[in-house]
């Protein structure tokens, strides 16, 4: 069953993810070279904060790690 799922992922999901990555580059990331550096830094900060919150809520390793070091991404993460 696992081999079938891995084959399914490699055949169907990976090309879709690659296409989505390329679209994201051309629609969002490519234009950052023309943006104000402060706007880019703000965007990076918000995306990183979102990622830390998602990791804290959904990945047990990060949840236990953040609890261990008493880190709450929603509150404690204020700057890069």
């Amino acid at each position: 069953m696992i081999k079938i799922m891995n084959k399914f992922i490699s055949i169907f999901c990976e090309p879709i993810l690659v296409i989505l990555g390329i679209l994201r580059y051309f629609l969002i990331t490519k234009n950052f070279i023309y943006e104000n550096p402060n706007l880019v830094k703000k965007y990076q900060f918000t995306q990183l904060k979102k990622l830390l919150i998602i990791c804290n809520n959904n990945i047990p390793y990060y949840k236990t790690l953040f609890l261990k070091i008493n880190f709450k991404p929603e509150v404690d993460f204020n700057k890069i």
Side-chain angles (χ1 to χ4, degrees):
M1 184 68 174
I2 293 174
K3 287 183 179 181
I4 294 171
M5 287 302 294
N6 286 341
K7 192 161 185 99
F8 173 79
I9 290 171
S10 65
I11 291 173
F12 295 106
C13 295
E14 286 181 12
I16 292 170
L17 292 174
V18 169
I19 291 169
L20 290 174
I22 292 169
L23 286 173
R24 180 180 173 90
Y25 169 75
F26 281 108
L27 296 175
I28 299 172
T29 312
K30 183 179 177 185
N31 297 327
F32 279 154
I33 60 173
Y34 306 110
E35 291 290 337
N36 180 347
N38 291 329
L39 291 176
V40 174
K41 287 180 183 180
K42 184 177 179 182
Y43 176 79
Q44 289 173 337
F45 169 76
T46 56
Q47 293 300 311
L48 183 55
K49 186 166 186 161
K50 285 180 191 177
L51 179 62
L52 288 172
I53 292 169
I54 289 169
C55 290
N56 185 43
N57 294 335
N58 299 311
I59 301 173
Y61 172 77
Y62 288 107
K63 186 173 215 131
T64 57
L65 178 66
F66 291 167
L67 281 171
K68 184 178 178 181
I69 63 173
N70 198 24
F71 175 70
K72 297 177 185 109
E74 300 88 356
V75 179
D76 297 332
F77 189 71
N78 298 320
K79 63 181 176 178
I80 295 181

